[in-house]
């Protein structure tokens, strides 16, 4: 499979790989290494992730036991992965030592945000910086369908409290439109009416104010749902 570019600084990726290779080589002296990269791989990977797998196997029974340097190297690789929204998995089975480094791809996913508050739009754009998301913003709900057709967003974020419209009716009409039927809608509002939002076609509701972590985690979850639906 073609592997996309990674949303990881090259030096961070280099250091993580060196750490994992040094541990893997030391664990199976006289053995062999198999390195592969796929997107996606396994249940822990998301549709936008790349998994770099290092499988070290020994022709002889028994492996060199781990020591403090190994622990430090693996901790370093894990911290570097987490800095970019990834993670490290370590598997040991018999004479085989395997590490799987899961990292986000550089591909950007457009997210349409419909909100009349300019400060909120700027905030969400800051939240999305250095992530896999690209915010397409509008303060005018009348532009929504044109932007959806032009930008093909993966997710729509909608504030119900927009002056001049009935936000709940707009949500219902938007969710039923053919252009939007496969796009999850996240209602982001001060209102605590999740059941109503879900009944009108929203995929989820997030209360304002929302933190960067909660915002990105919610987008990640909805993107996973969209990926499972599209397949």
């Amino acid at each position: 499979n073609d592997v996309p570019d990674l949303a990881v600084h090259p030096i961070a990726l280099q250091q993580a790989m060196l750490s994992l290779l040094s541990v893997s080589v030391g664990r199976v002296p006289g053995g062999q290494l198999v390195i592969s990269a796929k997107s996606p791989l396994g249940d822990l990977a998301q549709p936008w992730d790349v998994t770099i797998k290092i499988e070290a196997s020994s022709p002889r029974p028994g492996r060199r036991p781990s020591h403090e340097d190994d622990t430090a190297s693996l901790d370093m690789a894990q911290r570097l992965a987490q800095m970019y929204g990834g993670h490290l998995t370590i598997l040991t089975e018999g004479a085989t030592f395997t590490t799987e480094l899961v990292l986000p791809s550089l591909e950007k996913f457009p997210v349409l945000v419909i909100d009349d508050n300019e400060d909120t739009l700027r905030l969400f754009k800051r939240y999305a910086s250095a992530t896999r998301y690209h915010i397409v913003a509008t303060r005018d709900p009348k532009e929504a369908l044109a932007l959806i057709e032009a930008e093909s967003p993966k997710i729509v974020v909608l504030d119900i409290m927009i002056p001049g419209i009935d936000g709940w009716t707009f949500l219902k009409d938007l969710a039923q439109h053919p252009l939007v039927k496969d796009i999850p809608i996240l209602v982001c509002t001060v209102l605590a009416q999740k059941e109503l939002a879900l009944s009108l076609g929203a995929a989820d509701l997030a209360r304002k104010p929302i933190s960067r972590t909660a915002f990105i985690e919610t987008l990640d979850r909805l993107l996973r749902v969209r990926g499972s639906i599209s397949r």
Side-chain angles (χ1 to χ4, degrees), residues 22-213:
S22 66
V23 174
S24 298
V25 169
R27 288 293 185 94
V28 288
Q32 66 175 3
L33 298 183
V34 177
I35 303 173
S36 60
K38 293 184 179 180
S39 175
L41 178 65
D43 295 336
L44 292 178
Q46 310 306 336
W48 54 87
D49 284 336
V50 173
T51 297
I52 302 173
K53 181 178 180 180
I54 302 176
E55 188 174 69
S57 57
S58 174
R60 299 187 299 272
R63 297 178 294 107
R64 180 182 65 76
S66 62
H67 52 68
E68 291 183 3
D69 288 346
D70 287 356
T71 300
S73 294
L74 293 174
D75 286 345
M76 172 63 74
Q78 180 72 277
R79 288 198 300 272
L80 289 170
Q82 291 173 344
M83 283 175 57
Y84 295 92
H87 62 269
L88 172 67
T89 301
I90 302 168
L91 306 171
T92 302
E93 184 176 353
T96 301
F97 177 77
T98 303
T99 59
E100 293 182 353
L101 184 64
V102 179
L103 298 169
S105 73
L106 193 59
E107 181 180 358
K108 288 287 187 178
F109 296 94
V111 175
L112 173 62
V113 179
I114 307 168
D115 195 308
D116 70 301
N117 189 310
E118 188 65 37
D119 289 337
T120 298
L121 297 180
R122 283 197 292 266
L123 179 66
F124 285 169
K125 287 180 179 180
R126 287 202 302 272
Y127 281 178
S129 64
T131 73
R132 59 176 63 91
Y133 300 106
H134 165 64
I135 299 297
V136 179
T138 181
R139 299 175 62 185
D140 185 358
K142 295 178 181 177
E143 296 181 347
L145 291 178
L147 286 171
I148 289 170
E149 187 169 16
E151 301 289 343
S152 299
K154 303 297 184 183
I155 301 168
V156 173
V157 179
L158 171 65
D159 182 14
I160 290 296
M161 305 291 288
I162 298 180
I165 69 166
D166 179 344
W168 297 114
T169 299
F170 179 78
L171 167 61
K172 180 181 179 181
D173 292 343
L174 186 66
Q176 293 178 347
H177 195 281
L179 284 175
V180 191
K181 63 183 181 67
D182 292 328
I183 303 175
I185 300 174
L186 171 64
V187 171
C188 194
T189 179
V190 297
L191 302 176
Q193 293 183 302
K194 183 172 182 176
E195 290 187 6
L196 176 58
L198 296 179
S199 70
L200 294 175
D204 202 352
L205 182 143
R207 296 285 305 283
K208 288 182 177 179
I210 184 171
S211 68
R212 181 183 187 273
T213 298

